[in-house]
Amino acid sequence: MLYAISDIHLSYPGNRDEWQKLKPHLDDGLILCGDVGEKAEHLDLAFSVAKSNFKEVWWCPGNHELYSMPLKTAARGEDKYNECVEIARRHGVHTPEDPFVQWDEVIVAPIFTLYDYSFRPLHLTSTAAAIAWAEETDTVAADEALLFPDPHPSREAWCTSLVASTAAKLESTIAASPDIPLILVNHWPLRQDLVYIPRIPRFSIWCGTTLTEDWHTRFNAAVVISGHLHVPRTDWRDGVRFEEVSLGYPREWNEVKDAGKDVNDLLRIIWPGPERPQEPVATQWRRWG
């Protein structure tokens, strides 16, 4: 089987303790869909535990991996990302910078696209206007202080570059293997209509880019996996299954622990999965399983 989880946030002691309860699945694969943590030691712990319990492990970065902490001395932008990639490789973990790997009847494709503030109302025609709109409700992502785009002039420019290079890699993949569907793995949702965060709805501007809206059909996806929202769910679009697989901060999954569940119950089964529905299916909100 192929499992996935994201947003394990190992900067929190409770989440670190929970992660070390992971049980062996020595014939199975695990996808870590971003926001493992901010520091090298968080990635080392995440990858070492995952690799000791799973046959293969994939990772893509979230915004927290890209944070420059401590602010004055840490690597920034692409340098910080490349540091994370090297840590993953030392543990034998597949990254967006490596060749995509076939697993069973699918190809697992971890990608990295960032965001460009385009998940916003249509009347807001600039990044500055979008950020001001979010600030009206006291919503500001920590990214604005901690996530740098170096050497790109802006996060939007970095996103544009990433989208172009990722699309080229995906195009070459499906050209080489047209009959093998992909598991697309990205920390940020690929579609704006899947962003639902009722407590902080204007946080949407830090949640993706409209440039990827059609990637699930354009790139022959069987499943699209994301995190970031801390709102676990399953959706279907155009016959493609979308899985939001966040764990989240300790306070956000206390009810799961109160129900006698642990991190093993929160791993989402990605492949094999349910058959494609013949009729429209409503969103399945998930607490575990």
Side-chain angles (χ1 to χ4, degrees):
M1 285 188 176
L2 182 63
Y3 294 85
I5 192 168
S6 74
D7 297 78
I8 60 176
H9 290 290
L10 297 185
S11 58
Y12 290 85
N15 281 22
R16 290 198 296 272
D17 293 342
E18 191 67 23
W19 188 242
Q20 293 177 85
K21 297 177 184 177
L22 206 60
K23 295 178 180 178
H25 294 258
L26 300 182
D27 294 322
D28 299 325
L30 178 66
I31 293 165
L32 295 172
C33 196
D35 277 9
V36 163
E38 297 79 15
K39 298 180 180 180
E41 53 262 40
H42 301 148
L43 274 68
D44 278 323
L45 176 60
F47 298 150
S48 62
V49 172
K51 282 292 291 183
S52 66
N53 286 286
F54 285 85
K55 183 177 181 179
E56 297 287 349
V57 178
W58 291 261
W59 164 83
C60 64
N63 50 312
H64 281 252
E65 281 93 334
L66 303 175
Y67 285 176
S68 296
M69 297 174 66
L71 187 58
K72 292 184 178 180
T73 59
R76 293 162 60 122
E78 285 189 352
D79 286 344
K80 179 65 191 293
Y81 170 56
N82 289 332
E83 285 185 358
C84 296
V85 169
E86 289 308 309
I87 294 170
R89 286 173 169 169
R90 287 203 300 267
H91 288 275
V93 171
H94 305 288
T95 82
E97 303 308 310
D98 301 317
F100 296 148
V101 175
Q102 184 170 346
W103 175 273
D104 192 28
E105 300 175 355
V106 294
I107 293 172
V108 183
I111 62 175
F112 169 35
T113 62
L114 203 58
Y115 55 83
D116 61 4
Y117 303 88
S118 59
F119 283 4
R120 64 189 189 227
L122 293 177
H123 71 278
L124 300 173
T125 58
S126 69
T127 294
I131 293 174
W133 170 75
E135 288 175 339
E136 289 174 359
T137 57
D138 295 323
T139 302
V140 180
D143 298 22
E144 295 299 312
L146 298 174
L147 198 164
F148 298 92
D150 306 35
H152 303 275
S154 65
R155 297 179 193 89
E156 303 96 294
W158 193 7
C159 174
T160 299
S161 174
L162 288 166
V163 166
S165 60
T166 302
K169 184 176 181 180
L170 292 170
E171 285 168 354
S172 66
T173 299
I174 61 173
S177 304
D179 299 323
I180 305 177
L182 270 57
I183 305 289
L184 284 179
V185 181
N186 193 46
H187 179 68
W188 294 270
L190 297 187
R191 292 178 57 88
Q192 187 174 4
D193 64 354
L194 297 178
V195 177
Y196 175 74
I197 33 179
R199 292 182 295 105
I200 44 171
R202 297 192 184 190
F203 189 79
S204 63
I205 64 173
W206 291 280
C207 291
T209 171
T210 55
L211 296 172
T212 60
E213 290 279 319
D214 67 344
W215 280 21
H216 62 297
T217 54
R218 178 180 171 188
F219 296 124
N220 190 29
V223 188
V224 178
I225 309 169
S226 64
H228 194 56
L229 306 182
H230 297 198
V231 183
R233 59 190 284 183
T234 301
D235 293 274
W236 293 83
R237 295 288 187 276
D238 305 307
V240 177
R241 180 161 46 97
F242 286 76
E243 299 281 6
E244 207 282 0
V245 297
S246 299
L247 174 65
Y249 303 125
R251 67 178 184 277
E252 293 174 319
W253 58 280
N254 276 333
E255 66 183 79
V256 176
K257 290 186 287 186
D258 292 343
K261 309 291 185 180
D262 64 17
V263 67
N264 297 285
D265 301 296
L266 291 161
L267 300 178
R268 189 78 53 83
I269 296 175
I270 301 300
W271 190 265
E275 293 185 3
R276 177 182 299 186
Q278 299 302 310
E279 302 293 336
V281 177
T283 297
Q284 181 181 359
W285 305 103
R286 292 179 175 270
R287 294 311 303 152
W288 56 77

